Amino acid sequence: MTVLYRAMWTDARHDAQSGAIASFIAWCREKTGGLMDLSLGGSSQRSTAPRSTDVHSPDDVQYEGTMERAGDDTAGFARAELVEAHPAGARWQTTLRTWRADHGSEQSWVWVDVDAVGPAGITDVTIAAPRLVRDLLIDGVNPRSGPVELAPFPVYFSGESGGERLAETLTDLDRQIPTVVFADAPAVTDDLLSGRRFTFADVVQTTASALAGAVQVYVIDADASVAFCEAVGRDHGIADGACRVYQPVLDPAVQTPWRHPVVLPTRYLNARGTAAKAVVRSLGPALASRRPPASFVVAKALLDEQRRTGRGDAEWVAALEADNALLHQEMQEAKQSLNDLEDGYLGAVADLESEAQRNAGLVTQLDVALRENEWLKEEVAAAGDDGSRMYREVAYRALPEIAGSCSEAVTLARQHLSDRLLVPEDACRDLEDLDAAVEGVPWGQKAWDGFLALHAYAEHLATAEQTVDFWNWCKTSRHPRAWPASIKKLAMTESETVRQTPKLADQRLLPVDTRVSSEGRMHMWAHLKIATGGGMLIPRIYFYVDRDSALVHVGFFGPHKYMSNTKT
């Protein structure tokens, strides 16, 4: 299993350990529908809930809980764990650890980990704080991580003094956790949220709840934004409705803005939870890599000693073997994760090289066109004509050049390209996840480039006397909107195996206008490859060209995981 979420903070309650244990017991009882009761009858207890006999029930989940404690609130250590094994293969493990910070200290440490593995690794696993953490933070006394006060809700700063206070917190060298800052700008966000069923405040609260304990969320108004930007420098600042992830060690004197990624409102306001997902993806492994303080080793030794004295040799060997097997599994998962990251990196490099080559070709075309244009002007001037007949400016419809997310690419396509390109609602899958990905912005731009290419090709079909297929049009037309005609970026069909395997072929039975198919669905094989690599999240656009009507129908736009092939 892989650690996906980690929160660690101090609590000033005199009975913080007992309070944390009571919260875990209550959370565990509610989460399992009363199946688990981990109330301690002694120093250590293990409880396993019965498994439902109805194998078709969606609630057929096996629970296993552990509660161990050594010592008391003044000098002691407690550990609680709940494991959920789902029939589909997903496995979740929530672990609570709590102990006194130091001998004689008035503070206790609270540490919550969430480990998980899905049936296909952790690609499809949603990372968020369990409600247990929100309960612990609300019930705690001055919960904090170093200079950062923690709360399961956003903290608002207003005015010049508010911006300066936030800057002091974020630039404190003792800050160990990331923070997220939203720059409230109603003039920007209200327009983007028009017609949606959630507000800017809803997005901010959803983000704070999902990241509670591990990341603190702040909101600043326009005046606070000005003061904050002046304090940390414009390159490190935030404004105009955007949100920014600030990693620990924000030093205004050291220009490292790339360490603190910005998420534009056009990207995160497409759905209520996009901002939280974008933050999680931008933080990556750092979200779960924080190390415990030195006092943890001393406190845990109390529990380790209790375990040794309470177990026989055979039981102790079995426990060590189980721990070794778990470590081996985690190592294998780490290797797989590293392989996936390497694959994504190589894919990004390949995409960059391809785009550089394509850009060089377009620059050459533009240079030729400019030279031809100047030559035509000279010819007109030499002929003594005013240019009204031989040379005139032609007004072309201006199309947006930039899309900041996959959702925005779809919105722009429906607004500007619907005369030749049709993108139905049910063709789009998990765009929120694509928007939240670290690569969300370039994916959105490439998707928009793809829609523009398909639309330009449809115009070719509608106006040209002699037409070619999409591949050859992209390869030979020299049209500035043409999509790269290479096997890494475009496929006009699927392999014989995919087309002849019912399970794989059915995934490509996609929605289409009833003017094309009376059933409203048809097999689509041609697709644009938005990114290179083997990741399950990289986008694909499946389409069908109706040459008779000169229309292009998009049947699917979403993650590659929904379009399995022989390699997946």
Side-chain angles (χ1 to χ4, degrees), residues 366-450:
L366 177 61
D367 181 63
V368 171
L370 290 173
R371 292 173 183 273
E372 291 178 348
N373 191 53
E374 291 299 322
W375 178 81
L376 287 173
K377 286 182 179 180
E378 293 175 359
E379 290 293 306
V380 169
D385 194 284
D386 62 2
S388 60
R389 294 188 304 275
M390 294 180 62
Y391 181 84
R392 66 182 63 181
E393 292 185 359
V394 180
Y396 290 98
R397 180 178 56 158
L399 294 172
E401 293 293 332
I402 298 174
S405 67
C406 290
S407 295
E408 187 181 5
V410 171
T411 299
L412 293 177
R414 290 171 178 159
Q415 290 176 347
H416 299 278
L417 310 180
S418 58
D419 60 326
R420 292 291 170 194
L421 181 72
L422 303 182
V423 188
E425 289 287 344
D426 51 352
C428 300
R429 300 283 299 274
D430 294 357
L431 296 190
E432 178 183 346
D433 291 342
L434 298 182
D435 294 344
V438 176
E439 308 92 334
V441 172
W443 284 353
Q445 183 61 44
K446 289 305 297 179
W448 176 234
D449 291 344

Side-chain angles (χ1 to χ4, degrees), residues 123-281:
T123 304
D124 301 332
V125 175
T126 300
I127 303 172
R131 203 188 73 178
L132 168 67
V133 171
R134 299 194 289 274
D135 294 341
L136 290 170
L137 292 175
I138 291 174
D139 294 339
V141 174
N142 192 26
R144 61 192 306 120
S145 171
V148 180
E149 297 183 15
L150 297 177
F153 47 79
V155 176
Y156 287 76
F157 288 95
S158 61
E160 181 179 352
S161 61
E164 292 174 349
R165 291 200 309 273
L166 178 61
E168 289 177 3
T169 299
L170 267 57
T171 57
D172 193 313
L173 295 179
D174 291 331
R175 179 170 65 92
Q176 297 182 8
I177 66 170
T179 58
V180 176
V181 179
F182 286 84
D184 191 8
V188 176
T189 58
D190 288 354
D191 182 58
L192 292 172
L193 290 169
S194 177
R196 299 195 182 272
R197 296 183 179 180
F198 55 87
T199 65
F200 176 77
D202 294 332
V203 172
V204 172
Q205 179 57 59
T206 299
T207 306
S209 297
L211 304 174
V215 180
Q216 183 56 46
V217 175
Y218 301 103
V219 182
I220 55 177
D221 62 14
D223 292 336
S225 175
V226 172
F228 178 74
C229 291
E230 290 180 354
V232 301
R234 290 292 170 182
D235 288 343
H236 288 146
I238 185 71
D240 299 329
C243 80
R244 190 161 193 172
V245 183
Y246 289 95
Q247 294 275 18
V249 188
L250 171 61
D251 187 351
V254 180
Q255 293 299 306
T256 56
W258 53 269
R259 293 192 65 249
H260 315 287
V262 177
V263 185
L264 298 177
T266 52
R267 178 182 172 196
Y268 76 78
L269 288 179
N270 292 303
R272 190 190 302 260
T274 299
K277 292 182 179 180
V279 172
V280 168
R281 294 189 184 280

Side-chain angles (χ1 to χ4, degrees), residues 332-345:
Q332 295 302 317
E333 291 171 355
K335 287 182 178 179
Q336 182 59 49
S337 178
L338 181 61
N339 290 336
D340 292 342
L341 290 172
E342 183 179 7
D343 182 61
Y345 169 75

